[in-house]
Amino acid sequence: MGLTALCPGTFDPVTNGHIDIIERAAGRFDALVVGVLDNPSKEPLFGAEERVGMLKEAVHALGNVEVEAFTGLLVEYATRRAADVVVKGLRAVTDFEYEIQMAQMNHQLAGVETLFMTTSPQWSFLSSSLVKEVARFGGDVSTLVPEHVAARLAEKLRGMA
Ligand code: PNS
């Protein structure tokens, strides 16, 4: 039986940094589930279905990757999907404090193991929040997110103006 990894996140929207982690994790596990948190109280710019759609388009060439939305506790979702490990990307030391807390909590709650992958240096500055901020002020995000995501961002922000 193969190993399944779960890559969870908000992905509002997916960035080239996320895709880097997904591609590299997909190369190391037999199956990779990308779990998109559907939590409207976080007030994401994109709804869960939109975020899933953008991710699916971004990873369509990866045959062992599945993308879907989830609600509730990550450990419950990980158990339901029979994930062997959770994989998260670490950009810098600033990510570490929050990530280690979540990893330890998930281990305490259900024995779920988290493996960290270091983000490729070229994307270590990149976050969905910064991409949204740059886009809101009319900046060019075409080198930071896939083309279709840049287009959806522009469309979404135009609709809000
Ligand atoms: O992309 P993000 O915002 O870093 O992803 C955070 C995410 C979705 C992995 C985290 O918020 C999460 O797991 N949420 C589900 C609810 C949950 O299990 N909370 C307790 C975490 S210890």
Side-chain angles (χ1 to χ4, degrees):
M1 208 177 71
L3 279 178
T4 297
L6 168 61
C7 201
T10 308
F11 303 107
D12 185 40
V14 61
T15 69
N16 290 346
H18 293 130
I19 293 165
D20 166 55
I21 294 291
I22 291 168
E23 282 176 349
R24 286 162 54 212
R28 297 281 164 183
F29 293 92
D30 299 288
L32 181 71
V33 177
V34 179
V36 178
L37 181 65
D38 182 3
N39 180 3
S41 71
K42 269 193 156 185
E43 296 188 11
L45 178 63
F46 293 98
E49 273 185 32
E50 290 178 290
R51 284 177 278 142
V52 167
M54 286 186 279
L55 259 160
K56 279 188 174 166
E57 197 170 334
V59 302
H60 74 275
L62 303 172
N64 62 341
V65 176
E66 184 189 336
V67 183
E68 68 175 7
F70 77 98
T71 54
L73 279 179
L74 178 64
V75 289
E76 286 174 4
Y77 180 58
T79 306
R80 205 159 58 242
R81 292 307 315 254
D84 296 286
V85 290
V86 167
V87 170
K88 295 223 69 185
L90 271 187
R91 284 167 298 195
V93 98
T94 41
D95 280 343
F96 186 72
E97 281 186 37
Y98 178 55
E99 291 295 343
I100 195 171
Q101 246 187 317
M102 285 200 293
Q104 289 172 336
M105 176 62 85
N106 290 334
H107 192 263
Q108 173 75 23
L109 288 175
V112 168
E113 297 286 4
T114 301
L115 300 184
F116 293 109
M117 283 186 93
T118 50
T119 299
S120 295
Q122 88 214 70
W123 305 123
S124 61
F125 63 93
L126 188 53
S127 71
S128 297
S129 309
L130 271 183
V131 165
K132 283 181 283 190
E133 184 166 326
V134 170
R136 270 193 193 106
F137 288 105
D140 178 11
V141 296
S142 63
T143 60
L144 310 174
V145 296
E147 208 177 304
H148 68 278
V149 174
R152 290 288 296 115
L153 249 177
E155 198 182 310
K156 174 71 83 177
L157 293 172
R158 256 198 317 272
M160 292 172 74

